[in-house]
């Protein structure tokens, strides 16, 4: 490293890989992320890819990106990148605006032929000059020809050779950041375990990219990244959808109830189905149903039979499941509904992120149909909140909607694999043997929690029926009595409200006597809001921050927290759904709003600017 022009030691750096949707940017980014997590860096990723299955090669609409931030105190993938990898002119044109001043561009110069430039709508043969990039460190690398040279004797056809271009750039980036190749090679070996020739080709190209950077002594900055002080244990890089699946498995283990997933594939939630389908060894039953309605109904049947029942979807599928969720509400059966939110309405923006399903989760069913709603705040928190959603569903005999989103579902972070002892046992209210006396009725309740007992079919003395028609509060028989209906509506509503006694109190970060403003968000915006709050405090603007994970019911101390501040600023990726919800609950609180509905996560700089504008306009 001593022969480079400059070595920058930074607490965190950001790399953005970009190219055609078939160029393997997600794979290269994921491997670099995993390698960085393995050497002790905190990581946060943002995969950003088009909805088209295969847009025209080299076109602006077909550009796929993967951004990762690595280092210390990393909570977001970063607003801008220190290094931009562009595999073709279209990728450069679409992504150069994300590069920091003085950053590094790695451009495959072999892909800058006249035809490539025309596809990207350039009018000259110099894309760097045409874009007005004059303060970047540009490294023009013959990626394609170097990849061909490295595999000249491999026996692979040209198409297979060109598929390895992404791994050449990965090797170059590993050199740039002094990353060990052993971890990358191990990941490639696992990925291509059944294709040894493909592994050998990629391993050769990875080393060639690393050696290229070392041998040419490229006159660009190289980077040394600080590590966090970490607790000893087993660490891995995990995305939110995988963490969600694993959290469900932990809940199954801790409850003693077998796990069933009834689901229908939908972007960006399908990976949960894929992950659970692999876990037959743990007794998981994952069934791909013919549609969304069949998915939720199969899960309801599994719940009636005594399973930890789950169905996964995104916003359009949640709409289709609404009647089924209402059935689980009136039957008072435990059910976890996972909604990995994406841009809408209708099919909307399938690969982009939003928080626009909140009102649908809270109210999107006919009749008085209350359910619990929770939201993870990060990819790794998806594990904890999937566990929590399962615990609440089982212990309180209710559907629970888990609102994840595309940003954290596809994004990843470094995660310490927990011990089973870190999590409590889940105690479902299975009907005690002494109550199964032949005279038991299905809506007998625990007086404190209002939770009914769960009678597993086949339990002697506990014959019963459930269904979608209103039931008598005492006998469980079908009832059309108006006063009984009102009683049952209020019981179901109060049962959800009492869950607040069984969830953590809300905590506030950056709390100080000087802060009279609270920045508040929910779900996957956590990293951006927390980082913005830290920057504002560092710049002399005292501001407190909190992020909601429990939305219905709200934490019991939230009202006290909100009333403590002169103003509350609610930031969310919609037109103000949480702000409206909180204003209904706490009309006396002064709520301002920061909203974004572009299919993209917040930038930290956007939050900082908006907060300052709100504070200045109120002074």
């Amino acid at each position: 490293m001593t022969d480079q022009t400059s070595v920058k030691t930074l607490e965190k750096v950001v790399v953005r890989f970009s190219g055609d949707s078939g160029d393997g940017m997600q794979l290269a980014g994921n491997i670099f992320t995993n390698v960085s997590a393995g050497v002790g860096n905190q990581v946060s990723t943002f995969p950003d890819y088009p909805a088209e299955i295969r847009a025209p090669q080299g076109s602006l609409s077909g550009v796929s990106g993967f951004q990762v931030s690595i280092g210390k105190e990393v909570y977001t993938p970063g607003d801008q990148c220190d290094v931009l990898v562009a595999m073709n002119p279209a990728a450069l044109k679409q992504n150069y605006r994300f590069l920091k001043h003085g950053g590094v561009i790695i451009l495959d110069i072999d892909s800058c032929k006249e035809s490539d430039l025309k596809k990207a709508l350039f009018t000259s043969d110099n894309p760097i000059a045409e874009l007005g990039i004059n303060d970047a460190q540009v490294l023009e690398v013959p990626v394609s020809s170097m990849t061909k040279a490295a595999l000249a004797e491999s026996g692979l056809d040209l198409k297979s050779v060109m598929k390895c271009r992404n791994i050449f750039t990965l090797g170059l980036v590993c050199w740039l950041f002094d990353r060990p190749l052993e971890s990358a090679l191990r990941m490639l070996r696992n990925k291509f375990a059944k294709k040894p020739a493909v592994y050998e080709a990629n391993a050769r190209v990875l080393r060639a990219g690393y050696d290229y950077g070392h041998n040419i002594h490229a006159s660009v900055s190289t980077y040394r990244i600080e590590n966090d002080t970490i607790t000893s244990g087993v660490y891995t890089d995990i995305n939110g959808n995988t963490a969600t699946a694993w959290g469900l498995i932990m809940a199954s283990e801790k409850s003693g109830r077998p796990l069933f997933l009834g689901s229908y594939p939908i972007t960006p939630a399908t990976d949960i189905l894929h992950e659970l389908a692999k876990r037959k060894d743990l007794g998981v039953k994952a069934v791909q149903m013919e549609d969304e309605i069949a998915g939720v109904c199969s899960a309801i049947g599994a719940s009636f039979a005594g399973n930890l029942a789950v169905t996964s979807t995104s916003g359009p599928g949640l709409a289709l499941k609404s009647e089924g969720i209402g059935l689980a509400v009136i039957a008072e059966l435990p059910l976890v509904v996972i909604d990995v939110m994406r841009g809408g309405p209708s099919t909307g923006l399938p690969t982009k992120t939003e928080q626009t399903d909140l009102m649908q989760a809270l109210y999107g069913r006919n009749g008085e149909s209350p359910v619990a709603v929770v939201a993870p705040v990060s990819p790794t928190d998806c594990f904890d909140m999937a566990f929590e959603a399962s615990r609440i569903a089982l212990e309180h005999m209710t559907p629970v909607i888990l609102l994840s989103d595309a940003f954290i579902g596809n994004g990843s972070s470094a995660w310490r694999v927990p011990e089973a002892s870190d999590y409590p046992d889940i105690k479902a209210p299975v009907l005690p043997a002494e109550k199964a006396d032949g005279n038991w009725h299905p809506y007998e309740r625990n007086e404190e929690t209002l939770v009914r007992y769960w009678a597993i079919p086949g339990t002697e003395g506990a014959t019963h029926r459930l269904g979608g028609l209103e039931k008598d509060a005492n006998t469980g028989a079908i009832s059309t009595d108006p006063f009984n209906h009102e009683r049952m509506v209020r019981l179901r509503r109060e049962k959800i409200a009492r869950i607040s006694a069984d969830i953590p109190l809300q905590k506030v970060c950056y709390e100080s006597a000087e802060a009279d403003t609270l920045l508040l968000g929910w779900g996957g915006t956590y990293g951006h809001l927390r980082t913005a709050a830290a920057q504002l405090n560092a710049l002399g603007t005292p501001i407190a921050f909190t992020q909601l994970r429990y939305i219905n019911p709200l934490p019991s101390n939230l009202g006290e927290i909100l009333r403590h501040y002169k103003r509350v600023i609610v930031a969310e990726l919609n037109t103000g759904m949480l702000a409206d919800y909180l204003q209904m609950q706490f009309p006396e609180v002064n709520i301002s709003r920061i909203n974004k509905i572009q299919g993209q996560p917040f930038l930290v700089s956007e939050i900082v600017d908006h907060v300052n504008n709100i504070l200045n306009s109120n002074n």
Side-chain angles (χ1 to χ4, degrees):
M1 299 290 289
T2 57
D3 55 358
Q4 307 307 317
T5 54
S6 65
V7 179
K8 294 183 178 179
T9 300
L10 300 173
E11 287 197 349
K12 63 186 76 171
V13 295
V14 178
V15 184
R16 188 175 183 92
F17 296 85
S18 62
D20 260 332
S21 55
D23 280 342
M25 295 297 93
Q26 310 300 318
L27 175 61
N30 274 315
I31 293 176
F32 182 72
T33 301
N34 199 284
V35 170
S36 298
V39 298
N41 296 140
Q42 288 293 311
V43 300
S44 178
T45 71
F46 175 42
D48 187 17
Y49 46 87
E52 293 86 354
I53 294 174
R54 191 67 175 91
Q57 188 173 11
S59 67
L60 296 174
S61 62
V63 173
S64 175
F66 186 101
Q67 185 159 305
V68 55
S69 178
I70 60 177
K72 293 177 64 176
E73 297 291 320
V74 171
Y75 299 107
T76 79
D79 287 6
Q80 294 180 299
C81 59
D82 298 278
V83 176
L84 171 63
V85 176
M87 300 296 286
N88 60 25
L92 177 67
K93 194 170 194 175
Q94 292 286 67
N95 289 281
Y96 81 96
R97 65 184 184 276
F98 298 113
L99 185 70
K100 293 178 182 177
H101 293 297
V104 176
I105 296 174
I106 298 175
L107 175 64
D108 181 5
I109 196 63
D110 288 338
S111 69
C112 292
K113 301 182 182 68
E114 182 180 358
S115 59
D116 301 308
L117 293 167
K118 286 184 177 179
K119 290 178 186 176
L121 305 182
F122 281 101
T123 58
S124 71
D125 61 357
N126 190 336
I128 299 294
E130 186 170 333
L131 292 172
I133 302 172
N134 52 27
D135 64 345
Q137 305 173 66
V138 181
L139 189 58
E140 296 181 342
V141 182
V143 175
S144 300
S145 56
M146 293 297 296
T147 301
K148 293 177 186 177
L151 299 178
E153 300 178 1
S154 66
L156 296 177
D157 59 72
L158 179 60
K159 184 178 180 181
S160 298
V161 168
M162 295 304 288
K163 284 183 177 180
C164 298
R165 294 165 61 240
N166 61 326
I167 304 302
F168 184 92
T169 60
L170 174 63
L172 181 54
V173 172
C174 284
W175 164 77
L176 195 64
F177 290 93
D178 197 21
R179 307 282 92 167
L181 294 187
E182 291 75 14
S183 297
L185 289 168
R186 183 167 58 252
M187 291 188 67
L188 289 170
R189 190 180 301 114
N190 291 337
K191 180 173 179 59
F192 300 114
K194 297 181 180 180
K195 300 178 180 179
V198 176
Y199 163 71
E200 289 297 335
N202 280 282
R204 190 178 305 172
V205 169
L206 180 73
R207 295 189 185 97
Y210 189 94
D211 292 342
Y212 178 86
H214 180 75
N215 292 336
I216 67 168
H217 305 303
S219 56
V220 295
S221 299
T222 55
Y223 299 86
R224 182 174 293 112
I225 305 102
E226 298 289 347
N227 291 346
D228 266 331
T229 302
I230 58 175
T231 305
S232 61
V234 177
Y235 283 80
T236 187
D237 164 46
I238 194 170
N239 69 39
N241 283 339
T242 300
T244 298
W246 291 4
L248 296 171
I249 293 170
M250 176 69 86
S252 175
E253 293 289 324
K254 284 294 188 176
S255 65
R257 309 314 309 173
L259 176 59
F260 176 91
L261 174 76
S263 189
Y264 181 74
I266 183 171
T267 301
T270 306
D271 286 342
I272 298 170
L273 171 61
H274 290 167
E275 186 63 29
L276 289 177
K278 302 174 186 175
R279 303 281 29 135
K280 292 180 182 178
D281 57 326
L282 297 176
V284 177
K285 295 182 286 290
V287 183
Q288 179 178 322
M289 303 303 293
E290 65 267 29
D291 56 39
E292 296 284 3
I293 297 172
V296 69
C297 289
S298 67
I300 291 170
S303 177
F304 180 76
N307 290 259
L308 167 54
V310 184
T311 187
S312 56
T313 189
S314 189
L318 185 64
L320 290 168
K321 294 179 191 292
S322 61
E323 185 179 1
I325 297 170
L327 172 59
V329 170
I330 198 168
E332 297 188 51
L333 284 168
L335 175 69
V336 177
V337 181
I338 300 166
D339 175 9
V340 186
M341 294 179 289
R342 70 190 209 185
S346 187
T347 44
L349 301 171
T351 63
K352 307 302 180 182
T353 195
E354 278 184 2
Q355 293 183 302
T356 45
D357 294 346
L358 179 59
M359 288 302 181
Q360 183 180 198
L362 289 168
Y363 304 117
R365 293 161 297 282
N366 66 296
E368 295 282 350
S369 190
V371 300
V373 179
V374 299
V377 301
S378 69
T380 56
D381 192 47
C382 286
F383 181 94
D384 289 338
M385 294 312 288
F387 183 90
E388 269 293 271
S390 302
R391 183 188 69 80
I392 292 170
L394 289 171
E395 293 188 347
H396 294 271
M397 294 295 287
T398 180
V400 178
I401 296 178
L402 176 72
L403 288 177
S404 180
D405 59 58
F407 174 67
I408 59 174
N410 292 326
S412 59
S413 298
W415 183 60
R416 179 182 178 274
V417 179
E419 303 292 336
S421 58
D422 296 340
Y423 292 81
D425 289 336
I426 295 175
K427 299 174 182 178
V430 176
L431 184 68
E434 63 271 17
K435 285 187 173 290
D437 56 4
N439 295 313
W440 170 78
H441 299 298
Y443 291 103
E444 292 181 17
R445 301 175 185 278
N446 178 301
E447 292 185 3
E448 181 179 353
T449 63
L450 300 183
V451 174
R452 77 172 188 87
Y453 293 103
W454 195 11
I456 309 302
T459 302
E460 187 174 353
T463 302
H464 68 291
R465 62 181 179 180
L466 300 172
L469 294 173
E470 187 65 277
K471 302 296 189 292
D472 185 89
N474 298 315
T475 67
I478 293 173
S479 171
T480 58
D481 178 79
F483 296 100
N484 174 78
H485 174 59
E486 180 165 343
R487 178 185 177 190
M488 291 297 281
V489 165
R490 294 189 182 281
L491 279 169
R492 289 188 289 262
R493 183 183 179 91
E494 180 62 21
K495 183 183 74 168
I496 299 300
R498 292 189 185 187
I499 295 173
S500 63
D502 193 30
I503 61 176
L505 296 176
Q506 190 69 21
K507 296 182 180 178
V508 177
C509 297
Y510 310 117
E511 194 170 17
S512 68
E514 293 78 23
D516 62 0
T517 299
L518 176 69
L519 177 63
L520 184 150
W522 65 278
T525 59
Y526 167 78
H528 298 88
L529 302 190
R530 174 169 178 160
T531 304
Q535 287 189 11
L536 286 161
N537 280 283
L539 293 171
T541 302
I543 186 169
F545 163 68
T546 193
Q547 190 83 355
L548 291 179
R549 298 159 82 219
Y550 300 87
I551 299 175
N552 192 37
L554 293 164
S556 59
N557 67 327
L558 183 64
E560 178 185 354
I561 289 173
L562 299 183
R563 286 187 288 268
H564 176 73
Y565 293 93
K566 179 180 177 182
R567 68 180 64 81
V568 175
I569 302 174
V570 178
E572 49 188 325
L573 298 176
N574 56 46
T575 55
M577 294 182 180
L578 180 67
D580 289 344
Y581 177 61
L582 293 178
Q583 199 74 81
M584 285 192 293
Q585 309 295 320
F586 311 105
E588 71 280 12
V589 175
N590 177 18
I591 294 180
S592 300
R593 303 154 189 252
I594 300 173
N595 304 110
K596 181 177 180 178
I597 323 99
Q598 300 173 13
Q600 296 290 320
F602 281 121
L603 300 178
V604 173
S605 58
E606 289 176 333
I607 300 297
V608 170
D609 290 344
H610 279 296
V611 169
N612 282 326
N613 288 339
I614 290 170
L615 296 182
N616 291 335
S617 66
N618 289 334
N619 288 337

